Amino acid sequence: MFAGKKIAFIGGGKMGSILVRGMIRRRIAPSKSITVTDIDQPRLKELATSLKVQVSRDNKKAVQEADIIVLAVKPQQFEQLRQIQTNEGFRSMSHLVDRALIEFLEKRRKN
């Protein structure tokens, strides 16, 4: 399914790094096909060293070069990524939403 596909993870925090690590460990995708972006340069260095993935602070470039994009950022950061969604075309995108937003939506639905 992911053979030959370039995957960009926008967000290298807990959510993103867990997914990347799982994909590599389960051999779903090789580390050389994965790019992780983040605003935290020390975090990117850590991910490059520990997971052997490509890293960048340039979301637009990562999206342009990817076949699959995974948004692994907190909901309050979605607005910052809006220009990528509206200006760049891509085939596949996944939104990962933290537990706080899920709980908020569940409570709202019940009311």
Side-chain angles (χ1 to χ4, degrees):
M1 183 169 149
F2 295 110
K5 302 285 186 186
K6 292 183 180 180
I7 305 167
F9 281 81
I10 309 301
K14 288 181 183 180
M15 291 187 288
S17 63
I18 288 169
L19 284 172
V20 170
R21 189 172 281 108
M23 290 184 84
I24 294 168
R25 284 187 181 161
R26 290 194 171 98
R27 299 176 191 220
I28 295 170
S31 58
K32 67 182 180 183
S33 69
I34 298 172
T35 299
V36 179
T37 68
D38 203 275
I39 58 173
D40 184 352
Q41 190 64 39
R43 179 70 176 157
L44 289 175
K45 187 174 180 180
E46 176 188 332
L47 292 171
T49 302
S50 65
L51 300 177
K52 309 294 187 231
V53 295
Q54 302 296 314
V55 295
S56 175
R57 293 185 67 178
D58 188 342
N59 291 333
K60 271 192 175 184
K61 183 178 179 193
V63 167
Q64 289 170 343
E65 295 176 353
D67 299 302
I68 299 167
I69 295 89
V70 179
L71 293 182
V73 297
K74 293 182 178 169
Q76 58 267 32
Q77 295 170 313
F78 284 171
E79 189 61 34
Q80 296 169 6
L81 301 175
R82 189 171 171 181
Q83 78 281 0
I84 294 173
Q85 288 181 291
T86 57
N87 294 337
E88 306 299 336
F90 43 84
R91 295 181 212 142
S92 206
M93 180 172 63
S94 175
H95 295 273
L96 298 179
V97 183
D98 70 359
R99 187 69 196 154
L101 180 60
I102 293 169
E103 289 173 4
F104 169 79
L105 293 173
E106 287 174 348
K107 285 178 187 175
R108 198 162 183 203
R109 184 180 56 158
K110 290 177 185 176
N111 293 335

